[in-house]
Amino acid sequence: MTPEQAETFRQSSQGRYDCSKQERRFSVYDLAKYAADSGNTKAQADFSGLVATMLQDEKVMLDPEFIARYKRDSLKYLEAAARSGSEDAHMRLAINYDAGRFTSANPVMAYAHAYWYSVRSSSPAAEPFLAQFAKGLTPQQLAEGRRIASTMQ
């Protein structure tokens, strides 16, 4: 953005929404982090999705420090929400440990979170969800996943 474009943006407003107040690069990140740090379980579980919108900006997308912080905080907040008993957080952690999005892939941890979710969820999709993560695991890995799940909140 040229200096002239930046100035035009700062001076612009749309209806009652003043765009000039949105100058901080990480405003969405900061707001989501504040809500998650305050202990809001929903904000903790939704942190990665809220902040992911920032990845549409090419400068942010190519910033390795931002990506590392995003992954670290996303995992930290999902784990905090899971410790608070959030079914949604356990479901998302299963997916994230399976895919290795925020940390190295760990199929046993993925199964553990899916198992925790399947035991506590009333959703009819819980059992097929668990079966998806059980595929390819040995009986020992399944037992370890159930043991880990038994220690979770």
Side-chain angles (χ1 to χ4, degrees), residues 27-38:
S27 62
V28 172
Y29 198 103
D30 292 339
L31 292 171
K33 186 172 178 9
Y34 177 80
D37 283 341
S38 72

Side-chain angles (χ1 to χ4, degrees), residues 9-10 19-27:
F9 176 76
R10 277 191 283 283
C19 297
S20 66
K21 294 183 180 169
Q22 298 299 319
E23 292 181 26
R24 292 193 56 206
R25 179 175 178 200
F26 297 114
S27 62

Side-chain angles (χ1 to χ4, degrees), residues 87 117-118 120-126:
E87 288 181 13
Y117 174 76
S118 73
R120 286 164 181 79
S121 176
S122 59
S123 169

Side-chain angles (χ1 to χ4, degrees), residues 16-142:
R16 67 179 210 266
Y17 302 106
D18 182 0
C19 297
S20 66
K21 294 183 180 169
Q22 298 299 319
E23 292 181 26
R24 292 193 56 206
R25 179 175 178 200
F26 297 114
S27 62
V28 172
Y29 198 103
D30 292 339
L31 292 171
K33 186 172 178 9
Y34 177 80
D37 283 341
S38 72
N40 182 313
T41 304
K42 180 82 171 131
Q44 291 169 337
D46 292 344
F47 178 85
S48 63
L50 293 168
V51 175
T53 60
M54 293 180 66
L55 296 173
Q56 295 173 6
D57 180 337
E58 188 175 323
K59 288 180 184 174
V60 173
M61 184 189 331
L62 299 174
D63 181 346
E65 289 177 20
F66 176 84
I67 299 299
R69 183 169 53 130
Y70 167 71
K71 288 180 173 186
R72 184 178 54 250
D73 286 348
S74 293
L75 183 63
K76 174 179 81 172
Y77 293 130
L78 273 176
E79 288 176 341
R83 283 191 302 275
S84 295
S86 167
E87 288 181 13
D88 191 42
H90 281 281
M91 183 181 67
R92 291 178 188 186
L93 279 166
I95 293 166
N96 282 290
Y97 276 113
D98 184 59
R101 288 186 185 148
F102 302 137
T103 188
S104 299
N106 184 330
V108 173
M109 285 302 292
Y111 179 79
H113 284 285
Y115 184 81
W116 186 99
Y117 174 76
S118 73
V119 168
R120 286 164 181 79
S121 176
S122 59
S123 169
E127 286 305 314
F129 182 75
L130 177 62
Q132 171 186 334
F133 294 95
K135 289 180 185 173
L137 295 182
T138 66
Q140 293 82 10
Q141 289 173 314
L142 294 171

